[in-house]
Structures are given as C-alpha cells and as structure tokens.
Amino acid sequence: MHLKKIPHFTTLQKFFKRLPTAILQEINKIILANSEVNGEIVAMDGSGFTNDYADKYYAIIRRKERKSYVKNHISIDVPTRLILHFAAQRGPRFDTRFAIAAIRQIKHYKPKYTLADRAYDTEPIRKCINEEIKAQEQIPLKTRAKKGKYRLKSKTQFKQKIYTKRNNVESVFSVIKRIFNGTNRSRTQQLSNKETKLKNTLYNIYRSTQIQQK
C-alpha cells in the first residue's frame, strides 16, 4: 500500500465503527461480479459466532460464561464456495428466520437446486423455493412430517447425491472461524454483527484469490 507509517490500531477501530455495513455488501457484489458464479447449486446454513472480549483466564476463575452470540447465516455457490448472501443478528435464533429473505436474495442466480439441512424443513420455506425462485429444494424431511403439499412431494424429489454437496457450506464456516476467528471482540451488538459480516467479506476476498490462482 506504499504506507510510510503504519496507522495506530485505534485509527483502524474508528474506521471500522464508521464503516457503513452496506459497503460490505457492495464489496461482496463486486467480488461476485468478477468471479465465475453460476448459482446452479446453492447451499444455506447458519452458525454461531461467540461474543467474548473478556480475558479467558478471568472467565475461568470467575466461572463466567458468555451465552450471547451472533447468528451468521450464509448462502453459498457450491462449485466455487463463494458467499452469495449473508445476514447476521443476535442469537440464539432459528435458521428459518433468515431463510425466506435469503432465498429471495439469491433469486437472480436462478438456482436449479437449493440445499439446506433438516432444520429448514417447513412448508413456507419449501413453497418459497418452489414458487418464487423455481428451484428444487433438497431438504431432508423431519420424522414427523405428515402434511404440506411440498413437504410430501419432496419424498420423490429428494436426491441424496445432490444433498451431500451441502457439506460445502459447513466447510466455508470452518475456514472463516479458523482463519478469521469464530470469536467476536466487539463490545456492542451492532459492532459484533458488523464484525461477523466483515469476516464473510474477507472470506470471499480470500476465496476469490484462491480461485484465480488455480
């Protein structure tokens, strides 16, 4: 970057606080626009990112555990493992609360298959996938599922071979937490949500450089 002097870490902190979250989404769009993403197979999932800025030793001796966390929900393009859409809110929250909005955000990719685990097995989610984005949902049925047009129909449409590709979304979470840390250090909920979104954007930058090097 040709900097003669490295900025003090507080300068970066202040910049991060003032950075609009919308900018992270715009950066993500630029990355995706410059990548070969076809969106034929999309996988969705959510994972928790711990909020903890206390010293670990202090937490142990005082027997204090932080139960709050940020729920990070992502939709990825399976072949490239790039994040197409992300959302972050204070947990615990069910993944289904993010699902409908996430599905509508990936509509323009015209996916053929949308993959998700059993937690997403609800009739509204299946209806949204089938009717709004015209894709085939590959979601395992819950054991007690006995009604619902699309839930019952999925018994004949479920393809195990396609569904196994859902593991890619878990791999993405693993990389984010391993490289960019699964623990947030921000002291407010708003900044913690933004920190989680920043990690998603940084992951996409990291992943896009990997793809270009191949």
Side-chain angles (χ1 to χ4, degrees):
M1 294 176 71
H2 305 290
L3 297 176
K4 293 182 180 179
K5 186 178 178 182
I6 299 174
H8 192 262
F9 71 92
T10 55
T11 305
L12 298 175
Q13 289 176 337
K14 289 174 184 176
F15 170 76
F16 177 67
K17 285 182 180 180
R18 295 171 183 173
L19 179 70
T21 307
I23 295 294
L24 300 178
Q25 294 283 9
E26 290 302 316
I27 293 171
N28 205 45
K29 287 178 183 178
I30 294 169
I31 294 167
L32 295 172
N34 288 280
S35 304
E36 295 181 2
V37 176
N38 59 35
E40 183 179 6
I41 304 176
V42 175
M44 305 167 58
D45 204 358
S47 183
F49 283 65
T50 310
N51 293 329
D52 193 357
Y53 51 83
D55 179 77
K56 292 293 180 185
Y57 176 74
Y58 175 84
I60 292 170
I61 62 174
R62 296 292 182 182
R63 296 180 181 178
K64 289 189 175 182
E65 296 180 2
R66 296 185 179 274
K67 296 182 180 178
S68 68
Y69 60 90
V70 173
K71 190 72 175 185
N72 185 22
H73 189 279
I74 63 174
S75 304
I76 70 159
D77 173 56
V78 169
T80 61
R81 295 203 300 277
L82 284 168
I83 300 174
L84 304 177
H85 176 262
F86 54 76
Q89 290 184 6
R90 183 177 180 178
R93 288 174 183 265
F94 292 112
D95 293 338
T96 50
R97 297 191 66 174
F98 298 91
I100 301 293
I103 292 164
R104 288 170 178 162
Q105 287 294 326
I106 60 170
K107 183 178 180 179
H108 64 281
Y109 289 104
K110 299 179 180 178
K112 185 176 180 180
Y113 298 105
T114 303
L115 322 180
D117 63 24
R118 193 173 273 106
Y120 293 79
D121 176 30
T122 69
E123 186 64 15
I125 289 175
R126 291 182 184 271
K127 183 179 180 181
C128 183
I129 293 171
N130 280 274
E131 295 185 3
E132 293 193 33
I133 67 172
K134 312 296 181 185
Q136 290 185 33
E137 24 86 9
Q138 297 298 304
I139 305 172
L141 273 171
K142 290 177 182 173
T143 3
R144 297 182 180 178
K146 294 181 180 178
K147 59 181 182 179
K149 174 184 172 182
Y150 292 107
R151 292 178 86 185
L152 298 178
K153 193 178 177 182
S154 71
K155 292 180 180 179
T156 56
Q157 292 184 342
F158 185 76
K159 300 174 182 177
Q160 184 63 37
K161 188 176 179 180
I162 296 292
Y163 178 72
T164 54
K165 297 179 185 294
R166 193 196 67 82
N167 291 335
N168 284 276
V169 73
E170 293 176 358
S171 298
V172 171
F173 279 127
S174 176
V175 172
I176 294 173
K177 292 183 178 183
R178 180 163 39 86
I179 298 179
F180 304 109
N181 203 335
T183 301
N184 292 338
R185 299 297 180 184
S186 299
R187 291 178 176 264
T188 68
Q189 188 61 49
Q190 184 181 8
L191 284 177
S192 191
N193 291 347
K194 192 194 294 187
E195 184 180 342
T196 305
K197 293 174 182 179
L198 175 64
K199 289 174 182 178
N200 292 334
T201 304
L202 292 174
Y203 164 81
N204 262 8
I205 295 171
Y206 167 78
R207 179 59 188 158
S208 62
T209 56
Q210 281 190 319
I211 295 170
Q212 289 171 9
Q213 289 171 3
K214 290 182 179 179

